[in-house]
Amino acid sequence: MNLMQLLSGSLPNRCLMCHQSIDLPAKGLCAVCLDSGLYHQPICLGCGCGMQIQTRFCGQCMKTQPLNVIAPCSYHKGLGEWIGLIKYQRQFAVLPALSQALVGRILELEALGLLQLPQVLVPVSLHPNRQRERGFNQAWLIADAIHRQLNIPIVTEGLARTLDTQSQAGLTGKQRRQNLSEAFTLTNDFPYQRIALIDDVVTTGATAKEIAGLFEKRHIHVQVWCLARAEAPGVLD
């Protein structure tokens, strides 16, 4: 055991939400607080609305066949604040618990025959300027946590963010779409047929749709895996 392991083992290990002690190796969020924020009903993979029986899409989404978005929780139901801290305050302690919850959701849907595991994980890329400024890509960190649990390779070559766009925070859906127009490129020799696009949160879906369009033009199947989705108001009521 090295010095860092000894030091970390001597520090209080408390839940960020309720501040109760957590038994190692768990950290960041206790099981009770994590469970309180997770979905406890079938959820449409298209719009995020609640359903009576878990199928891929609700009746409305069956007409349009939108992107499959797999998430373990709603951004608005208690865990969104802590997901935001990953990106904006480098608070990585919640990542293991949230990524494990996402993997649990993935495996549940696979067992129901509602998704097929992808060949590779593709993190949403940052522009080099944003990467240098932030010092990390939260989508890659999430992809790495998933890789460690499912052993699906991560691919960062091929997809690139070529425009240094303004932050999406605070923009309307239309503004988000305009902001991201032609912001990404995909190399001509991308060799896979099934991918999971990895991000922290899906809100309007503008980023996911912009990137998915590049893959779908080449008949590459895309599903989106994220820690939470910020569905439209009222869909879970």
Side-chain angles (χ1 to χ4, degrees), residues 30-69:
C30 71
V32 173
C33 288
L34 176 64
D35 186 68
S36 70
L38 299 180
Y39 290 130
H40 290 286
Q41 66 182 110
I43 298 295
C44 172
L45 304 186
C47 67
C49 75
M51 301 191 296
Q52 294 299 313
I53 299 173
Q54 185 65 70
T55 57
R56 186 173 287 108
F57 295 132
C58 65
Q60 192 64 31
C61 287
M62 286 180 67
K63 301 175 185 178
T64 58
Q65 298 290 307
L67 276 173
N68 290 344
V69 177

Side-chain angles (χ1 to χ4, degrees), residues 42-111:
I43 298 295
C44 172
L45 304 186
C47 67
C49 75
M51 301 191 296
Q52 294 299 313
I53 299 173
Q54 185 65 70
T55 57
R56 186 173 287 108
F57 295 132
C58 65
Q60 192 64 31
C61 287
M62 286 180 67
K63 301 175 185 178
T64 58
Q65 298 290 307
L67 276 173
N68 290 344
V69 177
I70 290 86
C73 65
S74 166
Y75 190 81
H76 304 300
K77 298 295 183 179
L79 296 176
E81 173 187 356
W82 310 104
I83 296 170
L85 291 179
I86 296 173
K87 178 162 55 178
Y88 297 115
Q89 296 189 24
R90 299 172 179 254
Q91 177 54 267
F92 303 130
V94 299
L95 184 54
L98 291 171
S99 64
Q100 188 171 5
L102 172 56
V103 168
R105 175 73 171 151
I106 291 163
L107 295 178
E108 174 190 2
L109 293 171
E110 184 196 24

Side-chain angles (χ1 to χ4, degrees), residues 36-218:
S36 70
L38 299 180
Y39 290 130
H40 290 286
Q41 66 182 110
I43 298 295
C44 172
L45 304 186
C47 67
C49 75
M51 301 191 296
Q52 294 299 313
I53 299 173
Q54 185 65 70
T55 57
R56 186 173 287 108
F57 295 132
C58 65
Q60 192 64 31
C61 287
M62 286 180 67
K63 301 175 185 178
T64 58
Q65 298 290 307
L67 276 173
N68 290 344
V69 177
I70 290 86
C73 65
S74 166
Y75 190 81
H76 304 300
K77 298 295 183 179
L79 296 176
E81 173 187 356
W82 310 104
I83 296 170
L85 291 179
I86 296 173
K87 178 162 55 178
Y88 297 115
Q89 296 189 24
R90 299 172 179 254
Q91 177 54 267
F92 303 130
V94 299
L95 184 54
L98 291 171
S99 64
Q100 188 171 5
L102 172 56
V103 168
R105 175 73 171 151
I106 291 163
L107 295 178
E108 174 190 2
L109 293 171
E110 184 196 24
L112 291 171
L114 299 179
L115 68 78
Q116 182 179 13
L117 291 180
Q119 295 167 291
V120 293
L121 309 175
V122 180
V124 170
S125 53
L126 290 178
H127 189 275
N129 293 343
R130 188 68 57 84
Q131 179 93 26
R132 285 192 294 269
E133 176 186 324
R134 188 173 295 165
F136 64 94
N137 179 353
Q138 72 280 358
W140 187 91
L141 294 177
I142 296 165
D144 184 57
I146 297 170
H147 161 72
R148 293 172 186 271
Q149 297 173 73
L150 296 179
N151 200 32
I152 300 173
I154 301 172
V155 171
T156 56
E157 301 80 15
L159 178 67
R161 191 163 192 154
T162 52
L163 293 182
D164 190 4
T165 56
Q166 71 179 99
S167 172
Q168 295 282 82
L171 300 182
T172 65
K174 181 178 180 180
Q175 290 169 333
R176 286 170 181 253
R177 292 190 294 273
Q178 292 173 338
N179 189 44
L180 290 169
S181 179
E182 300 183 350
F184 298 90
T185 59
L186 180 64
T187 56
N188 291 326
D189 58 349
F190 193 84
Y192 304 99
Q193 290 76 50
R194 299 190 320 278
I195 74 157
L197 185 66
I198 310 299
D199 209 353
D200 54 347
V201 178
V202 169
T203 50
T204 65
T207 300
K209 290 173 186 174
E210 181 71 21
I211 296 173
L214 297 175
F215 287 103
E216 289 171 347
K217 286 177 182 176
R218 304 192 193 169

